[in-house]
Amino acid sequence: MASETSRGASPRQKLGLCDFNLTLVCSFALLFLCSFNYGFSDQAFASTQATNSFAKQFGDLKPKSKKYALPALYLSLLNSLKAGTQLFGVFVGSWISKRYGRRWCIFLMNIYALGTTAVMVSGTNRAQMLTGRSLYSTYLGMQLSVIPIFLAEISPTYLRGSIGTLYWLSIKCGGLLITGIVRVTSKNKDNSAWQIPIGLIFVIPTIVISLIWFVPESPRWLLLDDNPDAALSSLTRLRRTRFDKKTAYTPQVISEEFSDLSDAVRELPTKPSDVSRIRHFLSIFSPANRQRTAIVIGLLFFQQSTGQSFASQYGTLFVKALHTVNPFSVTLGINAIDIGGILFCMLLADRVGRRPVLIISALLQTAALLTMGGLGTADASVTAAKAGIVAMLLLYSFGWSFGYAPLAYVVAAELPSPHLREYTLRVGYTVKLVMEFVISLTYPYLEDADKANLGGRLGFIYGSIAFLAFLFSLLFVPETRNIELEDMDEMFGKDNLGSGNEKLKSVGEEKM
């Protein structure tokens, strides 16, 4: 067995240009462009549904107000059915990624995105728009299944947290850009107000399709696929730089890293070819793996159940219903604040660790949501209370983006055993998307003036769940900073729930 020190994480280094070669930088850039399109398209849908021309094209005329509005049922279906097709995309994407490689999955999902975008842009009735948006979400699910894993597998160990956080930063940057575009186009009286933002989704998939084959395949996937020569070639392309005299990654170090990866893969207790698929899947619930599976499920459950889809999918409509400030300006502010939160997370994730950041994130969400709930009990005509609700929405979004938004993906991709990573994440993403479906489906009825009409009092519901997320982060989430992906099996294999966190912490310190 390779010694722990041989596979130990590199000590944290001061970053310079020589820490990255052009291939690694371009690989990160293209993967971040994929996730940028995730946020771009997701916020394109969320923002355009609040434009007057979209409501006129797909809504009904309200006799009292003499304004067009989307029916609660249609709005609910528009934002909830996509969770089912996104879940389907997770399963399809993880299967393609596991069987044929990360690049094939990315290539095929972007071709698919072009076709489904065409359906939405040409939409003239509710059925076509609903169908197009639901089908497009399969692409988002495929992206969710491959991009975080790919980033984790090609990142240097001591930068894995920061690089994984950049995944969510790029999503928010995409959302910020498209929200600004919709703010401008929303003034148009015709269908171009929503067709232009949705039509811009064509751009990024076209770029990715053209460039993805210049990105090296994941060395870890190639080793798991029993292709060591290609794995060594890929790792060399990702680590060798033009500044050999300055960089830590000399050819010898590359060979050592490859040797450690090869040893780790050989030492894995179970390989897919050794067992049936059903037994292989069920092994995520074995004594050695069920703790990690439970943590992954818990992280992705709480990432959604504190009301994220309420803020992202309905935030513009929520603020619009308060009749206080320009809802598109608030959405721009939310995206800008989210980016600030993610930048703070990047600075801290590889310095103080994942767990403390998750704990603080859950506390901020709890405080903001419960305060929002309290303000929601005030007289509906009080302008100060409405302004306070908007402020708490901004604080909640910052708290969520500061920790749970990016780090749930990072830790969920780090914890599973390499041979079980796709299976574990399928289960975790299933829980995540089910919760997103529940929040998206119920929000219109909780907010509609003719239904529950909760308004800011929604904060009591989501805030209570955020408090449970705080307890979960404090008691059950382990620290994974400075621990190699392949070492997770050894860390969890002999530990019960009570000792796992301490063991991980001690090993991480031992390897620094």
Side-chain angles (χ1 to χ4, degrees), residues 24 43 50 56 67 92 127 141 178 188 218-220 238 249 255 271 281 298 303 372 391 421 428:
L24 184 62
Q43 282 301 303
K56 184 177 180 180
K67 293 181 179 180
V92 172
I178 192 59
N188 298 351
S218 163
R220 285 178 167 89
L238 290 167
Y249 288 114
S255 299
K271 293 189 176 182
F281 169 75
Q303 190 206 45
M372 179 192 293
R421 186 167 289 125

Side-chain angles (χ1 to χ4, degrees), residues 55 85 114-115 154 174 185 207 304 309 387 415 427 456 469 496:
T85 53
L114 294 178
I154 67 174
T185 63
I207 296 173
Q304 292 297 316
S309 57
L415 284 178
V427 174
N496 55 36

Side-chain angles (χ1 to χ4, degrees), residues 1-198:
M1 175 180 288
S3 66
E4 286 188 357
T5 54
S6 69
R7 290 208 307 268
S10 302
R12 184 166 183 86
Q13 303 174 25
K14 183 177 179 180
L15 299 182
L17 290 176
C18 59
D19 289 308
F20 301 96
N21 66 5
L22 184 61
T23 300
L24 184 62
V25 170
C26 290
S27 298
F28 284 149
L30 195 64
L31 295 178
F32 293 147
L33 193 61
C34 287
S35 53
F36 180 93
N37 197 49
Y38 188 114
F40 189 91
S41 55
D42 193 53
Q43 282 301 303
F45 304 144
S47 298
T48 53
Q49 70 185 9
T51 61
N52 293 329
S53 60
F54 189 92
K56 184 177 180 180
Q57 180 68 37
F58 302 105
D60 296 325
L61 182 64
K62 297 291 185 181
K64 292 183 179 180
S65 62
K66 295 184 179 180
K67 293 181 179 180
Y68 287 92
L70 298 174
L73 176 61
Y74 182 69
L75 188 61
S76 177
L77 293 174
L78 198 62
N79 290 282
S80 60
L81 285 184
K82 66 184 185 70
T85 53
Q86 194 171 351
L87 177 59
F88 175 73
V90 167
F91 279 82
V92 172
S94 62
W95 181 80
I96 295 173
S97 175
K98 184 177 180 67
R99 187 175 181 87
Y100 299 106
R102 316 312 189 201
R103 295 185 301 175
W104 266 110
C105 182
I106 294 171
F107 178 74
L108 292 174
M109 75 186 189
N110 280 281
I111 291 177
Y112 177 83
L114 294 178
T116 52
T117 302
V119 174
M120 290 183 290
V121 171
S122 60
T124 57
N125 55 67
R126 293 178 189 172
Q128 184 176 348
M129 178 55 70
L130 181 61
T131 302
R133 185 167 175 181
S134 298
L135 291 175
Y136 181 86
S137 295
T138 302
Y139 156 76
L140 299 181
M142 294 176 72
Q143 187 180 129
L144 195 63
S145 70
V146 66
I147 301 299
I149 291 177
F150 204 174
L151 286 171
E153 289 178 337
I154 67 174
S155 299
T157 301
Y158 64 94
L159 290 177
R160 200 171 59 230
S162 298
I163 295 300
T165 304
L166 278 172
Y167 166 73
W168 196 254
L169 177 64
S170 58
I171 289 177
K172 284 300 178 180
C173 287
L176 179 64
L177 176 61
I178 192 59
T179 303
I181 292 172
V182 174
R183 190 180 190 280
V184 175
T185 63
S186 63
K187 300 175 183 178
N188 298 351
K189 302 299 182 182
D190 57 8
N191 283 340
S192 64
W194 59 269
Q195 286 177 330
I196 290 174
I198 294 177

Side-chain angles (χ1 to χ4, degrees), residues 222-242:
L222 290 168
L223 282 172
L224 291 170
D225 196 48
D226 198 22
N227 194 346
D229 293 337
L232 177 58
S233 176
S234 178
L235 185 65
T236 301
R237 290 181 61 194
L238 290 167
R239 296 291 185 263
R240 178 176 290 167
T241 74
R242 294 166 56 191

